[in-house]
């Protein structure tokens, strides 16, 4: 288990993270296209991003953001460092390759070995000449029920780099599809499931798949909370409660995946704080107590990042969950 997190402003002890963690966010990216100009968070949005994070630090003690903008997504390590310093919130940056539609030219024709070496060099040497080192691999992507050939290469290379460097790996599963196939590719490359987070599972309405991922030891990311145009939070909550009732509270990650400037509060969006302002209160109303909320929003993401069986001195037994209300979370939500 790693006791230090690699953040964009330097090493951070796990025990220093006392408040919640956003496990999958974007603070600086550019996925804009001629048909979609708003899929960006550029320099002109940096102050608004920093102000949102600072407000969440003051109101909810937000302590850490896992920023999963990787190669080919308009990543800006220097902006991440500025936002972290300005907001007082630690930031872990990512590396790897998104799904095929956004693969940069360096992926075309490159072998798995060459791609893996490129990631290891960046993890060991930093992003750019004087840039910080990534502290996580992701969001490495695929866009269907099975990864395409280039996506198999980038996923395999990312897994090999994770094994070599000891970093954990988070995926992008387009609309939640293909998570089990991603897990197969990553584990075939030697990466342990406990070092893997399968992304966007709250967009995939299949509780059986969620249980299978969790039972295999992977983290199940409910990481698009608040994106109601993709999935209602009511459905997200139902799926989450089902996973908790199945005994997999120790394998859930939560976040909002803010990926365009129209999601910022200042532009009328739900913002990074939607998880704490809206979704967590609904989870509490369904019966979740402080210990469970802390597990979902702090201890789980720290265990994911460090590869440990516990976080901040609080061990979690594999396959266990914290005690739930006697009536059951799902039953209480259904009757609400």
């Amino acid at each position: 288990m790693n006791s230090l997190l690699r953040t964009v402003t330097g090493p951070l002890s796990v025990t220093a993270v006392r408040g919640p963690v956003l496990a999958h966010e974007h603070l600086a990216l550019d996925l804009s296209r001629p048909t979609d100009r708003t899929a960006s968070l550029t320099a002109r949005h940096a102050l608004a991003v920093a102000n949102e994070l600072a407000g969440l630090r003051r109101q909810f003690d937000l302590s850490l953001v896992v920023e999963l903008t990787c190669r080919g997504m308009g990543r800006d390590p220097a902006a991440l460092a500025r936002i972290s310093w300005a907001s007082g919130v630690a930031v872990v940056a990512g590396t790897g390759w998104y799904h095929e539609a956004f693969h940069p030219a360096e992926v075309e024709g490159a072998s798995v070995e060459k791609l893996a070496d490129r990631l290891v060099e960046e993890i060991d040497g930093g992003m750019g000449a004087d840039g910080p080192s990534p502290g996580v691999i992701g969001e490495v992507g695929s866009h269907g029920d099975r990864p395409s050939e280039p996506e198999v290469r980038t996923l395999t290379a990312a897994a090999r780099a994770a094994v070599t460097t000891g970093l954990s790996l988070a995926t992008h599963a387009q609309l939640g599809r293909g998570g089990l196939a991603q897990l197969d590719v990553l584990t075939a490359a030697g990466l342990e499931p406990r070092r893997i987070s399968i992304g966007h599972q709250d967009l995939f309405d299949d509780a059986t798949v969620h249980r299978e991922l969790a039972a295999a030891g992977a983290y199940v990311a409910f990481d698009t909370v608040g994106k109601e145009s993709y999935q209602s939070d009511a459905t997200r909550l139902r799926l989450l409660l089902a996973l908790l009732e199945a005994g997999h509270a120790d394998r859930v990650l939560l976040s909002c995946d803010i990926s365009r400037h129209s999601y910022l509060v200042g532009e009328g969006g739900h913002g990074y704080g939607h998880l704490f302002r809206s979704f967590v209160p609904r989870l509490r109303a369904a019966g979740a107590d402080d210990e469970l909320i802390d597990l979902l929003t702090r201890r789980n993401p720290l265990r994911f990042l460090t590869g440990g069986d516990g976080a901040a001195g609080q061990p979690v037994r594999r396959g266990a969950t914290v005690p739930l209300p006697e009536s059951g979370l799902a039953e209480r939500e259904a009757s609400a």
Side-chain angles (χ1 to χ4, degrees), residues 255-313:
S255 210
C256 295
D257 188 24
I258 299 302
S259 54
R260 58 182 66 230
H261 58 82
S262 59
Y263 291 141
L264 297 175
V265 169
E267 298 197 17
H270 56 280
Y272 299 98
H274 179 85
L275 177 66
F276 310 120
R277 295 191 182 101
S278 178
F279 195 76
V280 166
R282 294 178 69 172
L283 185 55
R284 287 187 184 279
D289 61 11
D290 288 345
E291 184 181 2
L292 177 55
I293 298 301
D294 183 64
L295 178 68
L296 298 177
T297 63
R298 186 182 67 90
R299 287 150 55 201
N300 281 353
L302 290 177
R303 283 190 302 111
F304 163 66
L305 289 171
T306 61
D309 292 327

Side-chain angles (χ1 to χ4, degrees), residues 20-330:
V21 177
L22 286 170
H24 181 144
E25 295 299 340
H26 302 280
L27 309 179
L29 89 166
D30 190 354
L31 295 178
S32 59
R33 293 175 163 188
T35 56
D36 185 358
R37 297 293 188 184
T38 70
S40 64
L41 291 161
T42 60
R44 70 185 182 90
H45 308 113
L47 180 59
V49 170
N51 285 342
E52 276 202 38
L53 298 186
L56 295 175
R57 176 180 55 80
R58 292 189 295 268
Q59 185 175 2
F60 298 103
D61 199 24
L62 175 66
S63 296
L64 179 69
V65 172
V66 183
E67 214 278 1
L68 294 179
T69 305
C70 52
R71 302 171 73 95
M73 297 175 70
R75 188 180 59 177
D76 189 342
L80 298 185
R82 291 192 297 269
I83 289 169
S84 181
W85 284 120
S87 65
V89 176
V91 175
V92 170
T95 189
W97 293 277
Y98 196 37
H99 67 85
E100 184 180 2
F102 293 92
H103 281 179
E106 64 186 355
V107 171
E108 185 175 359
S111 68
V112 168
E113 292 74 17
K114 183 177 181 179
L115 293 170
D117 287 346
R118 184 164 289 142
L119 295 186
V120 172
E121 289 170 5
E122 184 167 79
I123 293 164
D124 290 343
M127 298 177 282
D130 299 309
S133 295
V136 67
I137 297 174
E139 55 179 308
V140 291
S142 65
H143 70 288
D145 293 328
R146 305 290 306 180
S148 66
E149 185 277 329
E151 290 167 349
V152 169
R153 280 189 288 118
T154 52
L155 286 164
T156 302
R160 291 188 184 180
V163 171
T164 299
T165 62
L167 294 189
S168 295
L169 183 154
T171 78
H172 165 91
Q174 187 84 350
L175 299 179
R177 295 167 54 199
L180 290 170
Q182 288 183 341
L183 186 61
D184 286 344
V185 171
L186 297 170
T187 55
L191 188 59
E192 294 180 85
R194 68 189 174 94
R195 304 309 300 260
I196 300 168
S197 166
I198 302 297
H200 309 327
Q201 290 308 290
D202 52 333
L203 300 179
F204 193 57
D205 193 349
D206 191 330
T208 300
V209 168
H210 300 160
R211 289 194 299 270
E212 190 169 345
L213 290 169
Y219 288 88
V220 183
F222 281 54
D223 54 11
T224 66
V225 175
K227 290 187 172 182
E228 294 269 352
S229 63
Y230 289 91
Q231 181 77 279
S232 72
D233 276 357
T235 299
R236 288 186 178 92
L237 185 58
R238 169 174 56 79
L239 292 169
L240 175 58
L241 296 178
L243 194 56
L244 299 180
E245 291 287 357
H248 296 299
D250 62 335
R251 283 299 180 268
V252 175
L253 299 178
L254 300 176
S255 210
C256 295
D257 188 24
I258 299 302
S259 54
R260 58 182 66 230
H261 58 82
S262 59
Y263 291 141
L264 297 175
V265 169
E267 298 197 17
H270 56 280
Y272 299 98
H274 179 85
L275 177 66
F276 310 120
R277 295 191 182 101
S278 178
F279 195 76
V280 166
R282 294 178 69 172
L283 185 55
R284 287 187 184 279
D289 61 11
D290 288 345
E291 184 181 2
L292 177 55
I293 298 301
D294 183 64
L295 178 68
L296 298 177
T297 63
R298 186 182 67 90
R299 287 150 55 201
N300 281 353
L302 290 177
R303 283 190 302 111
F304 163 66
L305 289 171
T306 61
D309 292 327
Q314 300 186 59
V316 177
R317 177 169 53 84
R318 176 69 192 97
T321 183
V322 297
L324 300 180
E326 189 172 318
S327 59
L329 285 171

